[in-house]
Amino acid sequence: MGGVHSIVLDKVSVTYGHRTVFTDLDAVLPGGCCTALVGPSGIGKTTLLRLLNRLAEPSSGVISLDGVPLTQLNVLELRRRIGLVPQQPVLLTEVVQDEVRVGRPDLLETEVLELLARAGLPETFLHRRCAELSGGEAQRVCLARGLAVQPEVLLLDEPTSALDEQSAGVIAGLIRGHIAAGGTVVLVSHDSVFVGSVADEILLLEQGRLSQLGDTGGRELR
């Protein structure tokens, strides 16, 4: 996995018509750690997450990956390097095995099983029909699908919203493993216990501004 030095937001603003979501956001999301974005519902956290792999575009400002503006990168390659797992899962195939292979059709069955296990799903899910999955199960299948392309950065939108405490613990372990392998995680969550267990840095988005809320990993605040 290639190391990612940082994602930098430089005076990033988003407006929709007469509505301003946020203005002139400046932030450094360092590589090799987990940064949590927190704040009230509807404040723009998911929008900010989507900006990081160009599923949405800023109205102004620049977002850079390792010093290169995202607009200068091939968008498909960018989305392999920075993978988003949405809160509301969208499944594209009929069977779980095929779903995990969407971005990597060459995956062996053993590799699919390993990815499912990392997302907390047993091997019995391999041939399950996607239409039969619960919300939490579908969310974890989407996570396995996202991991299949070996992204450097994982963007996780409310990854524990449909999970029980035990399943949330599996996701916490997955995040720690991704960090230990040299990856980076940026997540949005309202689950303060989960955030406290995985986040190295916490950024608060409130009233259109972004500020450092805390530093649970012992890093110096920036």
Side-chain angles (χ1 to χ4, degrees), residues 116-166:
L116 290 175
R118 287 176 64 190
L121 295 172
E123 64 181 29
T124 53
F125 274 75
L126 188 67
H127 300 295
R128 284 278 299 273
R129 293 182 60 81
C130 293
E132 299 172 350
L133 301 177
S134 70
E137 291 165 348
Q139 195 173 33
R140 281 177 283 174
V141 169
C142 282
L143 180 54
R145 182 184 70 193
L147 290 170
V149 298
Q150 300 178 322
E152 296 165 356
V153 183
L154 272 177
L155 308 176
L156 304 177
D157 192 0
E158 297 288 358
T160 63
S161 61
L163 303 183
D164 58 26
E165 184 176 348
Q166 181 178 356

Side-chain angles (χ1 to χ4, degrees), residues 10-27:
D10 182 12
K11 300 193 182 314
V12 172
S13 302
V14 171
T15 58
Y16 296 120
H18 298 294
R19 175 176 173 251
T20 298
V21 181
F22 42 72
T23 303
D24 291 341
L25 296 188
D26 291 317

Side-chain angles (χ1 to χ4, degrees), residues 150-220:
Q150 300 178 322
E152 296 165 356
V153 183
L154 272 177
L155 308 176
L156 304 177
D157 192 0
E158 297 288 358
T160 63
S161 61
L163 303 183
D164 58 26
E165 184 176 348
Q166 181 178 356
S167 298
V170 171
I171 303 306
L174 183 151
I175 289 172
R176 296 188 193 102
H178 189 72
I179 298 298
T184 300
V185 176
V186 182
L187 67 89
V188 166
S189 180
H190 284 96
D191 185 341
S192 58
V193 173
F194 179 75
V195 167
S197 72
V198 299
D200 298 292
E201 300 192 1
I202 304 173
L203 298 177
L204 172 66
L205 183 60
E206 191 173 34
Q207 297 180 341
R209 297 292 179 181
L210 194 63
S211 59
Q212 197 119 26
L213 181 64
D215 178 22
T216 61
R219 296 176 181 270
E220 182 181 351

Side-chain angles (χ1 to χ4, degrees), residues 75-149:
V75 70
L76 295 180
E77 179 61 25
L78 172 67
R79 289 174 186 165
R80 284 183 171 269
R81 295 180 65 188
I82 304 180
L84 172 64
V85 181
Q87 179 181 3
Q88 299 298 329
V90 177
L91 301 179
L92 306 173
T93 69
E94 293 187 4
V95 180
V96 167
Q97 180 174 221
D98 296 333
E99 190 67 35
V100 177
R101 286 174 166 155
V102 163
R104 286 280 310 280
D106 60 325
L107 282 177
L108 300 175
E109 184 173 292
T110 54
E111 294 174 308
V112 175
L113 289 172
E114 180 183 353
L115 289 164
L116 290 175
R118 287 176 64 190
L121 295 172
E123 64 181 29
T124 53
F125 274 75
L126 188 67
H127 300 295
R128 284 278 299 273
R129 293 182 60 81
C130 293
E132 299 172 350
L133 301 177
S134 70
E137 291 165 348
Q139 195 173 33
R140 281 177 283 174
V141 169
C142 282
L143 180 54
R145 182 184 70 193
L147 290 170
V149 298

Side-chain angles (χ1 to χ4, degrees), residues 12-58:
V12 172
S13 302
V14 171
T15 58
Y16 296 120
H18 298 294
R19 175 176 173 251
T20 298
V21 181
F22 42 72
T23 303
D24 291 341
L25 296 188
D26 291 317
V28 176
L29 309 178
C33 72
C34 176
T35 300
L37 302 173
V38 301
S41 297
I43 203 69
K45 300 185 299 298
T46 294
T47 297
L48 179 53
L49 210 61
R50 287 168 59 85
L51 294 177
L52 301 183
N53 74 343
R54 297 191 65 194
L55 285 173
E57 299 287 356

